[in-house]
C-alpha cells in the first residue's frame, strides 16, 4: 500500500510540474508573440484659420509605413471670392523642435487659361511611404498647414493654420 501511495504521489507531482512548466512557457510565448505584433497608431488633426478650416487630416503609422492626408478643407468666406481662382496650393509641415521642419504632403492646382474651380469643400490627397527614423522618434511634434491661393481679383493670399489633435 505504501508503494502504491508513493507511486501515486510521484505521478501527481510529475503531472503538476509538467502543467506548471507548460503554463509558464506558454505565457512567455504569448508575451513574445504580443511584443512581435505590428503597432498601429492613428491620429486625426484639425485646425481653423481666417479663411480656411481643415477637418480630419489623418496620420496612420505602422512599424514599417506612414500615411498622411485625406482631410477635408473648407473655405470659410464667400465662395464668389474664389470661384475664378487660377492658383491653389496646400503644404503640410511637421516640426520637431525649433529648426527641424519637414514638408510631408503638398498639393497644387493651377490653370493658365481659366479657373481651377475651387469648391467650398476640398478633399485633401494622401501619401504613403516607408516610415523614417524621424517618424519613429517620440519627440513632440507640431503640425501646420500652409495654404496659398489667388482670389478672383488676382491677389495672392497665404494663410498658415496650426493643427491640433481632434
Amino acid at each position: 500500500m505504501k508503494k502504491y501511495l508513493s507511486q501515486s504521489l510521484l505521478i501527481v507531482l510529475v503531472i503538476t510540474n509538467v502543467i506548471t512548466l507548460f503554463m509558464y512557457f506558454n505565457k512567455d510565448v504569448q508575451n513574445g508573440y504580443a511584443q512581435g505584433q505590428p503597432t498601429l497608431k492613428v491620429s486625426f488633426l484639425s485646425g481653423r484659420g481666417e479663411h480656411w478650416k481643415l477637418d480630419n487630416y489623418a496620420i496612420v503609422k505602422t512599424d514599417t509605413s506612414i500615411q498622411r492626408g485625406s482631410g477635408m478643407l473648407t473655405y470659410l468666406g464667400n465662395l464668389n471670392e474664389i470661384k475664378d481662382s487660377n492658383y491653389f496650393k496646400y503644404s503640410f509641415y511637421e516640426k520637431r523642435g525649433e529648426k527641424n521642419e519637414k514638408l510631408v504632403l503638398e498639393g497644387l492646382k493651377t490653370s493658365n487659361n481659366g479657373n481651377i474651380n475651387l469648391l467650398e469643400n476640398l478633399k485633401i490627397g494622401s501619401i504613403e511611404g516607408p516610415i523614417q527614423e524621424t517618424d519613429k522618434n517620440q519627440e513632440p511634434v507640431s503640425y501646420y498647414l500652409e495654404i496659398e491661393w489667388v482670389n478672383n481679383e488676382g491677389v495672392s493670399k497665404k494663410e498658415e493654420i496650426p493643427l491640433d489633435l481632434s
Side-chain angles (χ1 to χ4, degrees):
M1 184 84 154
K2 247 183 178 182
K3 186 176 177 184
Y4 177 73
L5 186 59
S6 31
Q7 284 178 347
S8 297
L9 185 58
L10 184 61
I11 291 173
V12 168
L13 282 173
V14 169
I15 290 174
T16 57
N17 284 340
V18 168
I19 291 171
T20 303
L21 287 172
F22 174 76
M23 291 173 59
Y24 176 77
F25 285 117
N26 192 31
K27 179 185 79 162
D28 286 347
V29 169
Q30 287 176 353
N31 286 343
Y33 177 73
Q35 291 170 355
Q37 289 294 313
T39 57
L40 174 68
K41 182 178 180 189
V42 180
S43 303
F44 291 98
L45 303 171
S46 297
R48 185 182 183 108
E50 183 181 346
H51 298 94
W52 297 92
K53 172 178 84 164
L54 177 70
D55 291 311
N56 297 322
Y57 173 80
I59 300 174
V60 181
K61 288 183 185 179
T62 68
D63 293 334
T64 57
S65 68
I66 186 165
Q67 179 181 2
R68 299 170 174 101
S70 300
M72 185 64 71
L73 190 60
T74 304
Y75 187 70
L76 300 174
N78 184 338
L79 290 180
N80 289 329
E81 297 171 354
I82 60 170
K83 74 175 185 171
D84 295 326
S85 179
N86 64 359
Y87 180 83
F88 177 78
K89 178 181 174 184
Y90 61 85
S91 306
F92 287 92
Y93 292 91
E94 293 181 359
K95 192 172 183 182
R96 288 177 171 81
E98 284 299 313
K99 298 182 181 187
N100 191 3
E101 183 176 86
K102 178 169 86 168
L103 174 65
V104 294
L105 177 63
E106 190 170 54
L108 174 67
K109 292 182 178 188
T110 62
S111 173
N112 291 330
N113 298 321
N115 63 44
I116 55 172
N117 194 21
L118 287 177
L119 305 173
E120 178 181 13
N121 295 308
L122 302 167
K123 183 141 174 89
I124 298 298
S126 64
I127 188 168
E128 183 175 0
I131 196 157
Q132 306 291 319
E133 275 307 310
T134 56
D135 298 322
K136 292 178 185 179
N137 190 343
Q138 297 301 316
E139 185 177 329
V141 178
S142 61
Y143 305 91
Y144 70 93
L145 166 63
E146 186 177 272
I147 302 172
E148 299 175 51
W149 72 101
V150 174
N151 68 11
N152 286 348
E153 298 169 358
V155 177
S156 294
K157 302 271 190 166
K158 189 174 189 177
E159 183 168 23
E160 190 175 294
I161 302 171
L163 303 176
D164 297 311
L165 292 172
S166 52

